[in-house]
Amino acid sequence: MERPTPLSGFPEWLPAQRIVEQRVLAKLQRTFELYGFASVQTRAVEPMEHLLAKGETSKEVYVLRRLQADAGDDSDARLGLHFDLTVPFARYVLENAGKLQFPFRRYQIQPCWRGERPQEGRYREFWQADIDIVDKDGLPPHYEIELPLVIADALRGLPIPAIRMHVNNRKVSQGFFRGLGLSDPMEAIRVVDKIDKIGDDGVGKLLASTLGATGDQIEACLALARISAPDASFVERVRAIGVEDELLDEGLAELAAVVMTAAEEAPGLVLADLRIARGLDYYTGTVYETFMDGFEHLGSVCSGGRYDTLASDGKSTYPGVGLSIGVSRILGALFGAGKLTATRETPTAVLVALPSEDDRRACDRLARRLRERDIAAEVAPSAQKYGKQIRFAERRGIPFVLFPGEDGPQIRDIRTGEQVPCDVDAWEPPAADRVAGIVGE
Amino acid sequence: MERPTPLSGFPEWLPAQRIVEQRVLAKLQRTFELYGFASVQTRAVEPMEHLLAKGETSKEVYVLRRLQADAGDDSDARLGLHFDLTVPFARYVLENAGKLQFPFRRYQIQPCWRGERPQEGRYREFWQADIDIVDKDGLPPHYEIELPLVIADALRGLPIPAIRMHVNNRKVSQGFFRGLGLSDPMEAIRVVDKIDKIGDDGVGKLLASTLGATGDQIEACLALARISAPDASFVERVRAIGVEDELLDEGLAELAAVVMTAAEEAPGLVLADLRIARGLDYYTGTVYETFMDGFEHLGSVCSGGRYDTLASDGKSTYPGVGLSIGVSRILGALFGAGKLTATRETPTAVLVALPSEDDRRACDRLARRLRERDIAAEVAPSAQKYGKQIRFAERRGIPFVLFPGEDGPQIRDIRTGEQVPCDVDAWEPPAADRVAGIVGE
């Protein structure tokens, strides 16, 4: 066959990049587990009617069919690949409600698929890392405060740019638009969500044409959208606009609690930003969008919110709150900018040199003794001259070469050339060399 | 929506089962890395012409289309989900050959999809854990000896039944059938591969009808298929049949090396079994199938072989050898038989009890101090009576509850009821309780 070419929108990493991804995912995973989130993986497919019920992204769904499906066999006819991890998780909760303990904390790290036109930060196959907390029939608001802190902990210490989370609350927007007397508060949210694309003027015209908003109403909507603050000062600024509504009061109190706690526990992380809306209809409380310093043009790299009605089986509802890290979006951008790499492209810490092919079994046993102490080792592929074997290690970034030798093994740090006698059952690599690490710019 | 029901052939695990899967995969992954295998993940999709070129499974491929694809936009029209991890890896090697170092050792743990009729051990979505070593233009046979030892190491220590790997070599079968004078040795391999399904008689009839084999030739083929041994004694038994062929000699020597090394390094693991053929055409040397004690009816749980011509771009070929563990097949069977479970269904080791909602921030900080020392902790969801908070922990298998208390915190092992004062910055859970473990029968 001819040399294949990449498929646009379906990124794949080279081994060193994959090591970076593994380290990042391991950090996320361990942090999520430290907070008591259990891992869930759902199948890649969902029934189409379930995917389409959630609207909006319907046109971007990949539908499956079996190549040789018999006519009349429609057992696969109605399956599509999931476009996010929230919709499959809501289905998983309903399906297994009797076997889960609520409130249920879960994380989920898997690929998603959307048939969108590929562009920077937008792929057709992309990995998401989600956390959600779902309860039965009611969900206390303190979880909306906790989730941003989990994300901050998960990303802390990784060599990636700082993030800033912009937070709003649907009750604020909805209560404000209702108190203002607009006929359809949900439609107003969708219109104001377009402000980054169409600007203040565009939003004003759309509010007038679709909702019949007056000049004063439009001005109030735009004033609300202009408010942002790293602390609770936003509350007074909203009140100063002069709109009165119970739901608005509730939302302001919830949003203030999120912002104030975050300001103490993770200074600089969270900003109240009253223009944040999130397109999806199912959000009902706090909504989150996150931007990475220097990469704001990517759009949000970690989004989510509270949803009260996504999962319901008629008898019970399962309200939840979740955040989703766009792993591929973050890594793709940092790889593309040359800002993130690994210290080597293989897990191997020690190459065992091979004097002659007859020594292979003995060298295999030396390698085994290292592995038994959790040191990754492989034996040279062939008994070339030692210079070539050292070059084999160099090309991969393997830091050490072990020479068997008749007077006992010696180990060489190929970066310094230093070579010393080595007790194979006691020698330890420096901590930084034991496993491949990641390096930011 | 109504309560959803499972999709046949698309298994999903409950949280405790998922913890088992995570532990098993972590063991496989770490072992592979100790042997120097680098992680690779390929996209879920391949061009259909690439999937179909590998024959055999073509009718089981899932084809994708975008729900709202424009007429005339065929950019996705020719994509299908991969049915194994070998074919995508071969494509990855060709595509990135200039950026990889050879010999290239990689592992890959991902789902695959086949539209087969679901039955025990056969799913439509299933996880495989593959290792392969690929070289450029030539691949020394010592890798065919190494791979079974890696698999044995990876599964050793896990609470699952013992495995036995049945090994053959395509050169033995092909050389034998050629030396015997059969017109189409490859076709003979495919016929003898059916022996478990159609028996000796069926194979004999098929050899006669498709290849015109004589009674003596059929008898020799069946005699070969009956030979198996845990050591090199099979060589003499093959020679005793009296077929002479150079390729046969080469295959016997290679197979004897695999079996003899394994007998020393991992006694009981490997059996030479001359009926093993593997259906796939691309194997050219050693072939492997693996059976799990007490679960032989599942078929092979770890298969693979050497392939010399799977990846070629016209200028270079990239011969390789690989083995693939059927993770879903193994776990599905052991879960179904009730032989494998986790010590708890959450990562949480400590529940921090909540005296009143006003104490939440203080309790969050206690939990944080535990997390900073890598102990998973969560705070109770609400300030119920302590009895109910303890039941919350019990239902999830969380072993410890930490009570803040005015005279300093106390920690309670809820299995024994023992409760003692606790220095939150020094207390350590027993090693077996720090993370959820897995338990075999």
Side-chain angles (χ1 to χ4, degrees):
Chain A
M1 80 194 271
E2 292 182 20
R3 171 159 300 180
T5 51
L7 278 180
S8 173
F10 292 88
E12 290 183 325
W13 310 137
L14 288 168
Q17 296 172 324
R18 170 64 183 153
I19 284 175
V20 172
E21 183 178 57
Q22 287 185 292
R23 293 291 171 278
V24 170
L25 292 181
K27 176 71 172 16
L28 300 184
Q29 178 175 340
R30 186 58 193 150
T31 307
F32 298 158
E33 293 185 350
L34 284 172
Y35 279 86
F37 291 83
S39 174
V40 160
Q41 286 197 318
T42 56
R43 63 197 186 215
V45 302
E46 296 294 329
M48 284 304 292
E49 69 268 21
H50 185 55
L51 293 175
L52 298 182
K54 307 309 163 192
E56 289 250 279
T57 48
S58 62
K59 68 175 188 299
E60 299 149 357
V61 171
Y62 279 113
V63 190
L64 299 191
R65 77 177 164 82
R66 284 191 295 141
L67 187 57
Q68 307 280 340
D70 306 330
D73 171 9
D74 66 349
S75 63
D76 297 317
R78 303 187 54 77
L79 298 180
L81 297 176
H82 57 228
F83 53 78
D84 72 4
L85 302 179
T86 309
V87 169
F89 174 58
R91 188 265 313 154
Y92 178 93
V93 166
L94 282 184
E95 186 175 318
N96 297 294
K99 298 166 190 159
L100 301 175
Q101 302 291 338
F102 294 97
F104 179 50
R105 305 160 80 88
R106 87 86 176 77
Y107 73 92
Q108 188 167 349
I109 301 175
Q110 284 184 245
C112 304
W113 295 269
R114 296 186 191 187
E116 298 187 352
R117 196 166 60 82
Q119 47 184 300
E120 195 188 354
R122 279 192 192 275
Y123 302 112
R124 293 187 154 187
E125 176 177 276
F126 53 96
W127 284 72
Q128 300 272 114
D130 279 33
I131 49 175
D132 284 82
I133 301 173
V134 165
D135 207 344
K136 195 171 173 176
D137 296 326
L139 180 82
H142 60 76
Y143 293 124
E144 290 160 78
I145 301 173
E146 181 181 4
L147 283 204
L149 302 176
V150 180
I151 297 293
D153 251 17
L155 296 176
R156 187 174 294 134
L158 290 172
I160 63 173
I163 56 159
R164 168 89 55 137
M165 196 175 281
H166 295 237
V167 183
N168 195 0
N169 191 304
R170 274 289 170 92
K171 294 176 187 171
V172 171
S173 322
Q174 216 176 325
F176 185 91
F177 297 142
R178 191 174 72 178
L180 195 60
L182 291 180
S183 56
D184 185 347
M186 282 308 296
E187 182 58 27
I189 288 176
R190 281 188 286 268
V191 170
V192 175
D193 193 30
K194 302 189 207 287
I195 197 164
D196 285 337
K197 287 187 194 151
I198 62 177
D200 284 12
D201 281 358
V203 165
K205 281 179 193 155
L206 214 49
L207 285 172
S209 65
T210 61
L211 293 169
T214 67
D216 283 354
Q217 285 173 327
I218 290 168
E219 192 38 55
C221 291
L222 294 173
L224 184 75
R226 276 191 290 265
I227 295 174
S228 76
D231 51 38
S233 64
F234 71 91
V235 176
E236 278 186 38
R237 291 168 61 194
V238 175
R239 295 213 187 285
I241 306 177
V243 173
E244 303 274 334
D245 184 273
E246 257 181 52
L247 193 64
L248 170 62
D249 292 342
E250 202 180 311
L252 288 172
E254 287 179 11
L255 184 55
V258 171
V259 174
M260 287 190 298
T261 304
E264 281 183 44
E265 303 289 338
L269 172 70
V270 163
L271 191 74
D273 182 348
L274 302 207
R275 76 159 66 192
I276 297 297
R278 304 295 303 145
L280 293 167
D281 283 354
Y282 53 70
Y283 291 121
T284 49
T286 310
V287 286
Y288 314 88
E289 292 194 353
T290 309
F291 301 92
M292 195 164 66
D293 284 3
F295 290 85
E296 290 80 1
H297 61 282
L298 287 178
S300 176
V301 296
C302 177
S303 308
R306 177 185 175 123
Y307 44 88
D308 280 82
T309 54
L310 187 57
S312 169
D313 57 13
K315 277 180 293 188
S316 299
T317 62
Y318 299 88
V321 55
L323 272 167
S324 176
I325 300 176
V327 175
S328 299
R329 179 173 288 187
I330 292 173
L331 293 182
L334 294 175
F335 290 155
K339 288 187 184 295
L340 202 53
T341 185
T343 53
R344 56 186 192 251
E345 61 181 64
T346 166
T348 303
V350 178
L351 177 74
V352 179
L354 185 69
S356 81
E357 198 56 45
D358 292 340
D359 298 309
R360 182 166 294 283
R361 295 287 300 283
C363 290
D364 280 338
R365 289 190 183 131
L366 284 176
R368 169 169 296 191
R369 283 156 65 189
L370 291 169
R371 289 180 200 126
E372 282 169 356
R373 294 189 301 106
D374 205 37
I375 298 165
E378 64 181 288
V379 177
S382 66
Q384 295 176 296
K385 286 184 181 156
Y386 277 166
K388 288 200 171 179
Q389 298 192 34
I390 291 171
R391 291 236 318 118
F392 173 96
E394 266 170 358
R395 280 198 304 270
R396 288 159 178 78
I398 298 172
F400 295 97
V401 178
L402 181 76
F403 298 95
E406 288 175 12
D407 306 326
Q410 299 208 331
I411 194 139
R412 180 189 186 101
D413 182 329
I414 64 169
R415 296 158 300 190
T416 63
E418 191 193 17
Q419 184 168 328
V420 293
C422 168
D423 176 351
V424 174
D425 300 315
W427 177 82
E428 288 283 335
D433 289 331
R434 181 175 275 270
V435 297
I438 63 177
V439 194
E441 195 192 40
Chain B
M1 84 194 267
E2 292 182 20
R3 169 159 300 180
T5 51
L7 277 180
S8 174
F10 292 88
E12 290 182 325
W13 310 137
L14 288 167
Q17 295 172 325
R18 171 62 183 154
I19 284 175
V20 172
E21 184 177 58
Q22 287 183 292
R23 293 291 169 279
V24 170
L25 292 180
K27 176 72 171 19
L28 300 184
Q29 177 175 341
R30 186 58 193 149
T31 307
F32 298 158
E33 292 185 351
L34 284 172
Y35 279 85
F37 290 84
S39 175
V40 161
Q41 287 197 316
T42 56
R43 62 196 186 215
V45 302
E46 295 294 330
M48 284 303 294
E49 69 270 20
H50 186 55
L51 293 175
L52 299 182
K54 306 310 162 189
E56 288 251 278
T57 48
S58 60
K59 69 175 185 299
E60 299 149 357
V61 171
Y62 279 113
V63 189
L64 299 190
R65 75 175 165 83
R66 283 191 297 142
L67 187 58
Q68 308 281 342
D70 307 330
D73 170 8
D74 67 348
S75 64
D76 297 318
R78 303 187 55 77
L79 298 179
L81 296 176
H82 58 227
F83 53 79
D84 73 3
L85 302 178
T86 308
V87 169
F89 175 58
R91 187 266 312 154
Y92 179 94
V93 166
L94 283 184
E95 186 176 318
N96 297 294
K99 299 167 189 160
L100 301 174
Q101 302 292 337
F102 294 97
F104 178 50
R105 306 160 79 89
R106 87 86 176 78
Y107 73 92
Q108 189 168 350
I109 301 177
Q110 282 183 246
C112 304
W113 296 268
R114 295 185 192 189
E116 298 189 350
R117 198 166 59 82
Q119 47 184 298
E120 195 188 354
R122 277 190 195 277
Y123 301 113
R124 294 187 152 187
E125 176 177 276
F126 52 95
W127 284 72
Q128 301 273 115
D130 280 32
I131 50 175
D132 284 81
I133 301 172
V134 165
D135 207 345
K136 195 171 173 176
D137 295 327
L139 179 81
H142 60 77
Y143 292 124
E144 292 160 79
I145 301 173
E146 181 182 4
L147 283 204
L149 303 177
V150 180
I151 296 293
D153 251 16
L155 296 176
R156 187 174 295 134
L158 290 173
I160 63 173
I163 56 160
R164 168 88 56 138
M165 197 175 280
H166 294 238
V167 183
N168 194 2
N169 191 304
R170 274 287 170 91
K171 294 177 187 171
V172 171
S173 322
Q174 216 176 325
F176 185 91
F177 297 141
R178 190 174 71 179
L180 195 59
L182 291 180
S183 56
D184 184 347
M186 280 309 296
E187 182 59 24
I189 288 176
R190 281 187 286 268
V191 170
V192 175
D193 192 31
K194 300 188 208 290
I195 197 164
D196 286 336
K197 285 187 193 151
I198 62 176
D200 284 14
D201 281 359
V203 166
K205 282 179 192 155
L206 214 50
L207 286 172
S209 65
T210 61
L211 293 169
T214 67
D216 284 353
Q217 286 172 326
I218 291 169
E219 191 39 54
C221 292
L222 294 174
L224 183 75
R226 278 191 288 265
I227 294 174
S228 76
D231 52 38
S233 65
F234 73 90
V235 176
E236 279 187 37
R237 291 168 61 193
V238 174
R239 295 214 188 284
I241 306 177
V243 173
E244 302 274 337
D245 184 273
E246 257 181 52
L247 193 63
L248 171 61
D249 292 342
E250 202 179 313
L252 288 173
E254 288 179 10
L255 184 55
V258 171
V259 173
M260 287 191 298
T261 304
E264 280 183 45
E265 303 289 339
L269 172 69
V270 163
L271 191 74
D273 182 348
L274 302 206
R275 76 158 70 191
I276 297 297
R278 303 295 305 147
L280 294 167
D281 282 355
Y282 53 68
Y283 291 120
T284 48
T286 310
V287 286
Y288 315 88
E289 292 193 353
T290 309
F291 301 92
M292 193 164 67
D293 283 3
F295 291 85
E296 291 80 1
H297 60 284
L298 288 178
S300 176
V301 296
C302 177
S303 309
R306 178 187 174 119
Y307 45 89
D308 279 82
T309 54
L310 187 58
S312 169
D313 58 12
K315 278 179 292 189
S316 298
T317 62
Y318 299 88
V321 55
L323 271 166
S324 175
I325 300 177
V327 176
S328 299
R329 179 173 287 188
I330 292 174
L331 293 182
L334 294 176
F335 290 155
K339 287 187 186 296
L340 202 53
T341 185
T343 54
R344 57 184 191 252
E345 62 181 63
T346 166
T348 304
V350 178
L351 176 74
V352 179
L354 185 68
S356 80
E357 197 57 44
D358 291 341
D359 298 309
R360 181 166 297 282
R361 295 287 299 284
C363 289
D364 280 339
R365 289 189 183 131
L366 283 177
R368 168 169 296 189
R369 281 156 66 189
L370 291 169
R371 290 181 200 124
E372 281 168 358
R373 293 189 301 108
D374 205 36
I375 298 166
E378 64 182 288
V379 177
S382 65
Q384 294 176 297
K385 287 184 180 156
Y386 277 167
K388 288 198 170 178
Q389 298 192 34
I390 291 171
R391 291 235 318 120
F392 175 96
E394 266 171 358
R395 282 198 302 270
R396 288 160 178 77
I398 299 172
F400 295 97
V401 177
L402 181 75
F403 297 96
E406 289 174 13
D407 306 326
Q410 298 208 332
I411 195 141
R412 180 189 186 102
D413 183 330
I414 65 170
R415 296 157 300 189
T416 63
E418 192 193 16
Q419 185 169 327
V420 294
C422 167
D423 176 352
V424 174
D425 299 315
W427 176 82
E428 287 283 336
D433 289 331
R434 182 176 275 271
V435 297
I438 62 176
V439 193
E441 194 192 41

